Amino acid sequence: MKQDSPSAVDILRFLKSQSGPEYLSSLRRLGVQGETILGVKMPVLRTLAKRYKENHQLALQLWDTGVHEARILATLLDEVKEVTEAQMEEWVRDFNSWDICDQTCSNLFCRTPFAYDKALVWSERHEEFVKRAGFVMMAGLSIHDKKVEDAQLAAFFPLIEREAYDERNFVKKAVNWALRQIGKRNATLHTMAMLVAERLAAHELPSARWVGKDAIKELKDEKIIKKLR
């Protein structure tokens, strides 16, 4: 592809030329949903993103195509400073698979000034991938926001504990991810995360028990504990 003046149409044409039925089948096996998946590998998308980095209008156009890989590319291309709350609400309503959710939140949304508010708000919503997005944001913020105070991340623990009852697979895995990731941030948050995990592990509901036990397994890992010390 030419590097100057890319268009969504040209990029979409290129993506279709890079699609592979075998990779598409593997995505399906991993539970990636949607009818507009081409089967383009992430290295191809990341190469395009590096070539056309930070282009808000192109990102919006790619998202509007509805094509799975075009939307992931949009999350890599968009300019964080140009992202609005309205855009975030519009895009989150379009989430129809766990990887679109995770890529959008991790690549783009958790880097915006609205990230903490959206983590709180979305974690309370019922829609499966919107609720998942709230907890993916929590996990992403614990990784990417190097300056955040412990108290701001600790404020997520009650939400994690509250929503661990949700038996939907894509929700409970995100709840678990948030708990583990915050717990790996530092020794103080590790202690707090372990208390939450232990309470959940003793819960009567299977989903909560799974979230707690799986988190304990990772948080007790000797490599994690050594790193925190």
Side-chain angles (χ1 to χ4, degrees), residues 39-107:
V40 180
K41 295 181 178 180
M42 279 304 300
V44 175
L45 301 180
R46 294 195 184 281
T47 298
L48 285 177
K50 288 179 181 179
R51 188 176 301 171
Y52 304 122
K53 189 63 177 172
E54 295 199 341
N55 189 325
H56 181 62
Q57 290 305 315
L58 180 58
L60 295 178
Q61 292 167 16
L62 288 170
W63 189 271
D64 286 344
T65 67
V67 174
H68 186 85
E69 286 84 354
R71 285 185 163 176
I72 293 178
L73 180 58
T75 72
L76 296 167
L77 282 173
D78 209 348
E79 298 176 77
V80 172
K81 64 182 180 181
E82 298 293 336
V83 176
T84 64
E85 286 190 78
Q87 177 187 338
M88 292 173 74
E89 288 293 341
E90 181 181 346
W91 283 22
V92 79
R93 288 194 295 270
D94 289 337
F95 289 173
N96 62 353
S97 68
W98 63 264
D99 67 327
I100 285 287
C101 173
D102 295 4
Q103 291 284 350
T104 306
C105 292
S106 300
N107 297 338

Coordinates of all heavy atoms in Angstrom, one line a residue, residues 39-107:
G39 N -10.1 -12.6 8.9 CA -9.0 -13.5 9.2 C -7.7 -13.0 8.9 O -6.8 -13.6 8.2
V40 N -7.4 -11.7 9.3 CA -6.1 -11.1 9.1 C -5.4 -11.1 10.4 O -5.9 -10.7 11.5 CB -6.3 -9.6 8.6 CG1 -5.0 -8.9 8.4 CG2 -7.1 -9.6 7.4
K41 N -4.1 -11.5 10.4 CA -3.3 -11.6 11.6 C -2.9 -10.2 12.2 O -2.7 -9.3 11.4 CB -2.1 -12.4 11.3 CG -2.4 -13.9 11.0 CD -1.1 -14.7 10.8 CE -1.5 -16.2 10.5 NZ -0.3 -17.0 10.2
M42 N -2.7 -10.2 13.5 CA -2.4 -8.9 14.2 C -1.1 -8.3 13.7 O -1.1 -7.0 13.6 CB -2.3 -9.2 15.7 CG -3.7 -9.2 16.4 SD -4.6 -7.6 16.1 CE -3.5 -6.4 16.8
P43 N 0.0 -9.0 13.3 CA 1.2 -8.3 12.8 C 0.9 -7.5 11.6 O 1.5 -6.4 11.4 CB 2.1 -9.5 12.5 CG 1.7 -10.6 13.5 CD 0.2 -10.5 13.5
V44 N 0.0 -7.9 10.7 CA -0.4 -7.1 9.6 C -1.0 -5.8 10.0 O -0.7 -4.7 9.5 CB -1.3 -7.9 8.6 CG1 -1.8 -7.0 7.5 CG2 -0.7 -9.2 8.1
L45 N -1.9 -5.9 11.0 CA -2.6 -4.7 11.4 C -1.7 -3.8 12.1 O -1.8 -2.5 12.0 CB -3.8 -5.1 12.4 CG -4.8 -6.0 11.8 CD1 -5.9 -6.3 12.9 CD2 -5.5 -5.4 10.6
R46 N -0.8 -4.3 12.9 CA 0.2 -3.4 13.6 C 1.2 -2.8 12.7 O 1.6 -1.6 12.9 CB 1.0 -4.3 14.7 CG 0.1 -4.8 15.8 CD 0.8 -5.3 17.0 NE -0.1 -5.8 18.0 CZ -0.8 -5.1 18.8 NH1 -0.7 -3.8 18.8 NH2 -1.6 -5.7 19.7
T47 N 1.5 -3.4 11.6 CA 2.4 -2.8 10.6 C 1.7 -1.7 9.9 O 2.3 -0.6 9.7 CB 2.8 -3.9 9.5 OG1 3.6 -4.9 10.1 CG2 3.6 -3.2 8.4
L48 N 0.4 -1.8 9.6 CA -0.4 -0.7 9.0 C -0.5 0.4 10.0 O -0.4 1.6 9.6 CB -1.8 -1.2 8.6 CG -1.9 -2.1 7.4 CD1 -3.3 -2.6 7.2 CD2 -1.4 -1.4 6.1
A49 N -0.7 0.1 11.2 CA -0.9 1.1 12.2 C 0.4 2.0 12.4 O 0.3 3.2 12.5 CB -1.2 0.5 13.6
K50 N 1.5 1.4 12.3 CA 2.8 2.1 12.4 C 3.0 3.0 11.1 O 3.5 4.1 11.2 CB 4.0 1.1 12.5 CG 4.1 0.4 13.8 CD 5.2 -0.6 13.8 CE 5.3 -1.3 15.2 NZ 6.5 -2.3 15.2
R51 N 2.5 2.5 10.0 CA 2.6 3.3 8.8 C 1.7 4.5 8.7 O 2.1 5.6 8.2 CB 2.3 2.4 7.6 CG 2.6 3.0 6.2 CD 2.3 2.0 5.1 NE 3.1 0.8 5.3 CZ 3.0 -0.3 4.6 NH1 2.0 -0.4 3.6 NH2 3.8 -1.4 4.8
Y52 N 0.5 4.4 9.3 CA -0.5 5.4 9.2 C -0.9 5.9 10.6 O -2.0 6.2 10.9 CB -1.7 5.0 8.5 CG -1.4 4.5 7.1 CD1 -1.8 3.2 6.7 CD2 -0.8 5.3 6.2 CE1 -1.5 2.7 5.5 CE2 -0.6 4.8 4.9 CZ -0.9 3.5 4.5 OH -0.7 3.1 3.3
K53 N 0.1 6.0 11.5 CA -0.2 6.3 13.0 C -0.9 7.6 13.2 O -0.6 8.6 12.5 CB 1.1 6.3 13.7 CG 1.0 6.3 15.2 CD 0.2 5.1 15.8 CE 0.1 5.2 17.3 NZ -0.8 4.1 17.8
E54 N -1.8 7.6 14.1 CA -2.6 8.8 14.5 C -3.3 9.5 13.4 O -2.8 10.5 12.8 CB -1.6 9.8 15.3 CG -1.1 9.2 16.6 CD -0.5 10.2 17.5 OE1 -0.3 11.4 17.1 OE2 -0.4 9.9 18.7
N55 N -4.5 9.0 13.1 CA -5.3 9.6 12.1 C -6.7 9.4 12.6 O -7.3 8.3 12.3 CB -5.1 8.9 10.7 CG -5.8 9.6 9.6 OD1 -6.9 10.2 9.8 ND2 -5.1 9.6 8.4
H56 N -7.3 10.4 13.2 CA -8.6 10.2 13.8 C -9.7 10.0 12.8 O -10.6 9.1 13.0 CB -8.9 11.5 14.7 CG -10.2 11.5 15.4 ND1 -10.5 10.5 16.3 CD2 -11.3 12.3 15.2 CE1 -11.8 10.8 16.8 NE2 -12.2 11.8 16.1
Q57 N -9.7 10.8 11.8 CA -10.8 10.7 10.8 C -10.7 9.3 10.1 O -11.8 8.7 9.8 CB -10.6 11.8 9.7 CG -11.0 13.2 10.3 CD -12.4 13.2 10.9 OE1 -13.4 12.7 10.3 NE2 -12.5 13.8 12.1
L58 N -9.5 8.8 9.8 CA -9.4 7.5 9.2 C -9.9 6.4 10.1 O -10.6 5.5 9.7 CB -8.0 7.2 8.8 CG -7.7 5.9 8.1 CD1 -8.5 5.7 6.9 CD2 -6.2 5.7 7.8
A59 N -9.6 6.6 11.4 CA -10.0 5.6 12.4 C -11.6 5.6 12.5 O -12.2 4.5 12.5 CB -9.5 6.0 13.8
L60 N -12.2 6.7 12.4 CA -13.7 6.8 12.5 C -14.2 6.1 11.2 O -15.2 5.3 11.3 CB -14.2 8.2 12.5 CG -13.8 9.0 13.8 CD1 -14.3 10.4 13.7 CD2 -14.4 8.3 15.0
Q61 N -13.6 6.3 10.1 CA -14.1 5.7 8.8 C -13.9 4.2 8.8 O -14.8 3.5 8.4 CB -13.4 6.3 7.6 CG -13.7 7.8 7.4 CD -12.7 8.4 6.4 OE1 -12.0 7.8 5.7 NE2 -12.7 9.8 6.4
L62 N -12.8 3.7 9.4 CA -12.6 2.3 9.4 C -13.5 1.6 10.4 O -14.1 0.6 10.1 CB -11.1 2.0 9.9 CG -10.0 2.3 8.9 CD1 -8.6 2.3 9.5 CD2 -10.1 1.3 7.7
W63 N -13.8 2.3 11.5 CA -14.8 1.7 12.5 C -16.2 1.6 11.8 O -16.9 0.6 12.0 CB -14.9 2.6 13.7 CG -15.7 1.9 14.8 CD1 -17.0 2.0 15.0 CD2 -15.2 1.0 15.8 NE1 -17.4 1.2 16.0 CE2 -16.3 0.6 16.5 CE3 -14.0 0.5 16.1 CZ2 -16.2 -0.3 17.6 CZ3 -13.9 -0.3 17.2 CH2 -15.0 -0.7 17.9
D64 N -16.5 2.6 11.1 CA -17.9 2.6 10.4 C -18.0 1.5 9.4 O -19.2 1.2 9.0 CB -18.2 4.0 9.8 CG -18.5 5.0 10.9 OD1 -18.7 4.6 12.1 OD2 -18.4 6.2 10.6
T65 N -17.0 0.9 8.9 CA -17.1 -0.1 7.9 C -17.7 -1.4 8.5 O -18.3 -2.2 7.8 CB -15.7 -0.6 7.3 OG1 -14.9 -1.2 8.4 CG2 -15.0 0.6 6.7
G66 N -17.6 -1.5 9.9 CA -18.2 -2.7 10.6 C -17.3 -3.9 10.4 O -17.6 -4.9 11.0
V67 N -16.2 -3.8 9.7 CA -15.4 -5.0 9.4 C -14.5 -5.2 10.7 O -13.9 -4.2 11.2 CB -14.5 -4.8 8.2 CG1 -13.5 -6.0 8.0 CG2 -15.4 -4.7 6.9
H68 N -14.4 -6.4 11.1 CA -13.7 -6.8 12.4 C -12.3 -6.2 12.4 O -11.9 -5.5 13.3 CB -13.7 -8.3 12.5 CG -13.2 -8.8 13.8 ND1 -14.0 -8.9 14.9 CD2 -11.9 -9.2 14.1 CE1 -13.2 -9.4 15.9 NE2 -12.0 -9.6 15.4
E69 N -11.5 -6.6 11.5 CA -10.1 -6.1 11.5 C -9.9 -4.7 11.2 O -9.0 -4.0 11.7 CB -9.3 -6.9 10.4 CG -9.0 -8.4 10.8 CD -10.1 -9.3 10.5 OE1 -11.2 -8.8 10.1 OE2 -10.0 -10.5 10.6
A70 N -10.8 -4.1 10.5 CA -10.8 -2.6 10.2 C -11.0 -1.9 11.6 O -10.4 -0.8 11.8 CB -11.8 -2.2 9.2
R71 N -11.9 -2.4 12.4 CA -12.2 -1.8 13.7 C -11.0 -2.0 14.6 O -10.7 -1.0 15.4 CB -13.4 -2.4 14.3 CG -14.7 -1.9 13.6 CD -16.0 -2.4 14.2 NE -17.1 -1.5 13.8 CZ -18.3 -1.7 14.1 NH1 -18.7 -2.8 14.9 NH2 -19.3 -0.9 13.7
I72 N -10.3 -3.1 14.6 CA -9.1 -3.2 15.4 C -8.1 -2.3 15.0 O -7.4 -1.6 15.8 CB -8.6 -4.7 15.4 CG1 -9.6 -5.6 16.1 CG2 -7.2 -4.8 16.1 CD1 -9.2 -7.1 16.1
L73 N -7.9 -2.1 13.7 CA -6.9 -1.2 13.1 C -7.3 0.3 13.6 O -6.4 1.1 13.9 CB -6.9 -1.3 11.6 CG -5.9 -0.3 10.9 CD1 -4.5 -0.5 11.4 CD2 -6.0 -0.5 9.4
A74 N -8.6 0.6 13.6 CA -9.0 1.9 14.0 C -8.6 2.2 15.4 O -8.2 3.3 15.7 CB -10.5 2.0 13.9
T75 N -8.6 1.2 16.3 CA -8.2 1.4 17.7 C -6.7 1.7 17.8 O -6.2 2.3 18.7 CB -8.5 0.2 18.6 OG1 -7.6 -0.9 18.3 CG2 -9.9 -0.2 18.4
L76 N -5.9 1.2 16.8 CA -4.5 1.4 16.8 C -4.1 2.8 16.1 O -3.0 3.3 16.4 CB -3.8 0.3 16.1 CG -3.9 -1.1 16.7 CD1 -3.5 -2.2 15.7 CD2 -3.1 -1.2 17.9
L77 N -5.0 3.3 15.3 CA -4.7 4.5 14.5 C -5.2 5.7 15.2 O -4.7 6.8 14.9 CB -5.4 4.4 13.1 CG -4.7 3.5 12.1 CD1 -5.6 3.4 10.8 CD2 -3.4 4.1 11.7
D78 N -6.2 5.6 16.0 CA -6.9 6.8 16.5 C -6.0 7.6 17.4 O -5.1 7.1 18.0 CB -8.2 6.4 17.3 CG -9.2 7.5 17.2 OD1 -8.9 8.6 16.8 OD2 -10.4 7.2 17.6
E79 N -6.3 8.9 17.5 CA -5.6 9.9 18.3 C -6.3 10.0 19.6 O -7.5 10.4 19.7 CB -5.5 11.2 17.6 CG -4.8 11.2 16.3 CD -4.8 12.6 15.6 OE1 -4.0 13.5 16.0 OE2 -5.6 12.8 14.7
V80 N -5.6 9.7 20.7 CA -6.2 9.7 22.0 C -6.9 11.0 22.4 O -8.0 11.1 22.9 CB -5.2 9.3 23.1 CG1 -5.8 9.5 24.5 CG2 -4.8 7.8 22.9
K81 N -6.2 12.1 22.0 CA -6.6 13.4 22.4 C -7.9 13.8 21.6 O -8.6 14.8 22.0 CB -5.5 14.5 22.1 CG -5.1 14.6 20.6 CD -4.0 15.6 20.5 CE -3.6 15.7 19.0 NZ -2.5 16.7 18.8
E82 N -8.2 13.1 20.5 CA -9.4 13.4 19.7 C -10.6 12.6 20.1 O -11.7 12.9 19.7 CB -9.1 13.2 18.3 CG -8.0 14.1 17.7 CD -8.4 15.5 17.6 OE1 -9.6 15.8 17.6 OE2 -7.5 16.4 17.6
V83 N -10.4 11.6 21.0 CA -11.5 10.7 21.4 C -12.4 11.4 22.3 O -12.0 12.0 23.3 CB -10.9 9.4 22.0 CG1 -12.1 8.5 22.5 CG2 -10.1 8.6 21.0
T84 N -13.7 11.3 22.1 CA -14.7 12.0 22.9 C -15.5 10.9 23.7 O -15.5 9.7 23.3 CB -15.7 12.8 22.1 OG1 -16.4 11.9 21.2 CG2 -15.0 13.8 21.3
E85 N -16.2 11.3 24.7 CA -17.0 10.4 25.5 C -18.1 9.9 24.6 O -18.5 8.7 24.7 CB -17.7 11.1 26.7 CG -16.7 11.4 27.8 CD -17.5 11.9 29.0 OE1 -18.1 11.0 29.7 OE2 -17.5 13.1 29.3
A86 N -18.7 10.7 23.7 CA -19.7 10.3 22.8 C -19.2 9.1 21.9 O -19.9 8.1 21.6 CB -20.2 11.4 21.9
Q87 N -18.0 9.3 21.4 CA -17.4 8.2 20.5 C -17.2 6.9 21.3 O -17.5 5.9 20.8 CB -16.0 8.7 20.0 CG -15.3 7.6 19.2 CD -13.9 8.0 18.8 OE1 -13.5 9.2 18.8 NE2 -13.0 7.0 18.5
M88 N -16.8 7.0 22.6 CA -16.6 5.9 23.4 C -17.9 5.1 23.6 O -18.0 3.9 23.5 CB -15.9 6.2 24.7 CG -14.5 6.7 24.6 SD -13.8 7.4 26.1 CE -13.5 5.8 27.0
E89 N -18.9 5.9 23.9 CA -20.2 5.3 24.1 C -20.8 4.7 22.8 O -21.4 3.6 22.8 CB -21.2 6.3 24.6 CG -21.0 6.7 26.1 CD -21.2 5.6 27.0 OE1 -21.9 4.6 26.7 OE2 -20.7 5.6 28.2
E90 N -20.5 5.3 21.7 CA -21.0 4.8 20.4 C -20.2 3.5 20.1 O -20.8 2.5 19.7 CB -20.7 5.8 19.3 CG -21.2 5.3 17.9 CD -21.0 6.3 16.8 OE1 -20.7 7.5 17.1 OE2 -21.0 5.9 15.6
W91 N -18.9 3.5 20.3 CA -18.1 2.3 19.9 C -18.4 1.1 20.9 O -18.5 0.0 20.4 CB -16.6 2.6 19.9 CG -16.2 3.4 18.7 CD1 -16.9 4.2 17.9 CD2 -14.8 3.5 18.2 NE1 -16.2 4.7 16.9 CE2 -14.9 4.4 17.1 CE3 -13.6 3.0 18.7 CZ2 -13.7 4.7 16.4 CZ3 -12.5 3.3 17.9 CH2 -12.5 4.1 16.8
V92 N -18.6 1.4 22.2 CA -18.8 0.3 23.1 C -20.1 -0.4 22.8 O -20.2 -1.6 23.0 CB -18.7 0.8 24.6 CG1 -20.0 1.5 25.0 CG2 -18.4 -0.3 25.5
R93 N -21.1 0.3 22.3 CA -22.3 -0.3 21.9 C -22.2 -1.3 20.7 O -23.0 -2.1 20.5 CB -23.4 0.7 21.6 CG -23.9 1.4 22.9 CD -25.2 2.2 22.6 NE -25.0 3.3 21.6 CZ -24.6 4.5 22.0 NH1 -24.5 4.8 23.2 NH2 -24.5 5.5 21.0
D94 N -21.1 -1.1 19.9 CA -20.8 -1.9 18.8 C -20.1 -3.2 19.1 O -19.9 -4.1 18.2 CB -20.0 -1.1 17.7 CG -20.9 0.0 17.0 OD1 -22.1 -0.2 17.0 OD2 -20.3 0.9 16.5
F95 N -19.5 -3.3 20.3 CA -18.7 -4.5 20.7 C -19.6 -5.7 20.5 O -20.7 -5.9 21.1 CB -18.3 -4.4 22.1 CG -17.2 -3.3 22.4 CD1 -16.8 -3.1 23.7 CD2 -16.6 -2.6 21.4 CE1 -15.8 -2.1 23.9 CE2 -15.7 -1.6 21.6 CZ -15.2 -1.4 22.9
N96 N -19.0 -6.7 19.7 CA -19.7 -7.9 19.5 C -18.8 -9.2 19.7 O -19.2 -10.3 19.3 CB -20.4 -8.0 18.2 CG -19.4 -7.9 17.0 OD1 -18.2 -7.6 17.2 ND2 -19.8 -8.0 15.8
S97 N -17.6 -8.9 20.2 CA -16.7 -10.0 20.5 C -15.7 -9.6 21.5 O -15.4 -8.4 21.7 CB -15.9 -10.5 19.2 OG -15.0 -9.5 18.8
W98 N -15.1 -10.6 22.2 CA -14.2 -10.2 23.3 C -12.9 -9.5 22.8 O -12.4 -8.7 23.5 CB -13.8 -11.5 24.1 CG -13.1 -12.5 23.3 CD1 -13.6 -13.6 22.7 CD2 -11.6 -12.6 23.1 NE1 -12.6 -14.4 22.1 CE2 -11.4 -13.8 22.3 CE3 -10.6 -11.8 23.4 CZ2 -10.1 -14.1 21.9 CZ3 -9.3 -12.1 23.0 CH2 -9.1 -13.3 22.2
D99 N -12.4 -9.9 21.6 CA -11.2 -9.3 21.1 C -11.4 -7.8 20.7 O -10.5 -7.0 20.9 CB -10.5 -10.1 20.1 CG -11.3 -10.2 18.8 OD1 -12.5 -10.2 18.8 OD2 -10.6 -10.3 17.7
I100 N -12.5 -7.5 20.1 CA -12.8 -6.1 19.7 C -12.9 -5.3 21.0 O -12.3 -4.2 21.1 CB -14.1 -6.0 19.0 CG1 -13.9 -6.4 17.5 CG2 -14.6 -4.5 19.0 CD1 -13.1 -5.5 16.6
C101 N -13.5 -5.8 22.0 CA -13.6 -5.2 23.3 C -12.2 -5.0 23.9 O -11.9 -3.8 24.3 CB -14.5 -6.1 24.3 SG -14.5 -5.5 26.0
D102 N -11.4 -6.0 24.0 CA -10.1 -5.9 24.6 C -9.2 -5.0 23.9 O -8.5 -4.2 24.5 CB -9.5 -7.3 24.8 CG -10.3 -8.2 25.7 OD1 -11.4 -7.8 26.2 OD2 -9.9 -9.3 26.0
Q103 N -9.2 -5.1 22.6 CA -8.2 -4.3 21.8 C -8.6 -2.8 21.9 O -7.7 -2.0 22.1 CB -8.3 -4.7 20.3 CG -7.7 -6.1 20.0 CD -6.2 -6.1 20.0 OE1 -5.5 -5.0 20.1 NE2 -5.6 -7.3 20.0
T104 N -9.9 -2.5 21.8 CA -10.3 -1.1 21.9 C -10.0 -0.5 23.2 O -9.5 0.6 23.3 CB -11.8 -1.0 21.6 OG1 -12.2 -1.7 20.4 CG2 -12.3 0.4 21.5
C105 N -10.3 -1.2 24.3 CA -10.1 -0.7 25.6 C -8.6 -0.6 25.9 O -8.1 0.4 26.5 CB -10.7 -1.6 26.7 SG -12.5 -1.5 26.6
S106 N -7.8 -1.6 25.6 CA -6.4 -1.6 25.9 C -5.6 -0.7 25.0 O -4.7 0.0 25.5 CB -5.8 -3.0 25.7 OG -6.5 -3.9 26.6
N107 N -5.9 -0.6 23.7 CA -5.1 0.2 22.8 C -5.5 1.7 22.9 O -4.6 2.5 22.6 CB -5.4 -0.2 21.3 CG -4.9 -1.6 21.0 OD1 -4.1 -2.2 21.7 ND2 -5.5 -2.2 20.0

